[in-house]
Amino acid sequence: ALLIQHVRASDDGQYWCHFNDGHISREAVVDRYAFVDFDGNGVNELVAYMAPDLGYMVFYWEQGTVYGYGFDVRWMESLKVDGTHMASGGAATSAYYALSFKDGKCEKTEIAYHDGIPGVENSSQREQYRIDGKAVTPEEFVKFRTAFESKPDVKWIPFLT
């Protein structure tokens, strides 16, 4: 369970989280959160968006221990109720992922990927499409993306109501 202690009215609804991994220390405010079964095992994980733009933290419980994993602010765009999500690498790059958790580790599985600029024939910027690690046509990728976009989005809960 997530426990917030020493809350006072003078805090004005701002609850700061302090992260320290031994090398880097950061502070963030929990902006919103959701419960998502990322790995389809019937147990929800907690995902929290940390403002200002520090990204997402996903917490999962396993055998009495809570593990937390950080993700960049552009990592969980279009988070769906089944835990699949899009990660953006910029205007020309998008990838779709699923997460799974086991033995204290978080595994990221690429479901689909698109990179490149339409109409550019330069080999470094030519469009590439993959689904499940295999090259596909632009039409197959559009079909995948349309199906992904039709899935319900996760319901974010504002941390302060």
Side-chain angles (χ1 to χ4, degrees):
L2 180 61
L3 176 63
I4 300 174
Q5 298 178 327
H6 312 294
V7 175
R8 301 174 308 247
S10 62
D11 292 336
D12 194 30
Q14 295 271 321
Y15 305 107
W16 289 85
C17 295
H18 302 271
F19 298 96
N20 187 336
D21 70 0
H23 303 287
I24 298 172
S25 181
R26 302 188 308 177
E27 286 188 343
V29 174
V30 178
D31 181 72
R32 61 188 179 266
Y33 66 96
F35 295 99
V36 180
D37 184 5
F38 280 94
D39 52 10
N41 67 354
V43 178
N44 285 333
E45 287 78 37
L46 168 67
V47 59
Y49 174 71
M50 313 304 274
D53 296 330
L54 287 179
Y56 299 87
M57 288 293 297
V58 175
F59 300 93
Y60 94 98
W61 177 88
E62 182 179 49
Q63 297 181 354
T65 301
V66 175
Y67 298 90
Y69 298 94
F71 296 90
D72 186 87
V73 68
R74 296 176 82 178
W75 182 264
M76 289 198 182
E77 296 182 14
S78 302
L79 179 59
K80 303 300 182 181
V81 296
D82 67 359
T84 57
H85 54 279
M86 183 184 78
S88 174
T93 305
S94 59
Y96 299 80
Y97 288 91
L99 301 178
S100 60
F101 307 94
K102 186 172 178 161
D103 299 328
K105 294 185 173 87
C106 175
E107 294 289 328
K108 304 167 197 162
T109 302
E110 182 187 281
I111 302 167
Y113 177 84
H114 166 256
D115 189 23
I117 301 170
V120 172
E121 293 304 318
N122 175 319
S123 64
S124 68
Q125 295 180 333
R126 186 179 311 132
E127 286 188 286
Q128 302 172 42
Y129 301 92
R130 288 192 307 260
I131 298 175
D132 294 327
K134 297 177 183 150
V136 296
T137 66
E139 294 77 18
E140 290 170 308
F141 186 83
V142 167
K143 186 176 177 182
F144 164 84
R145 188 177 61 211
T146 300
F148 174 83
E149 290 171 353
S150 72
K151 293 194 269 185
D153 291 327
V154 72
K155 301 249 189 272
W156 288 101
I157 303 164
F159 191 69
L160 305 173
T161 56

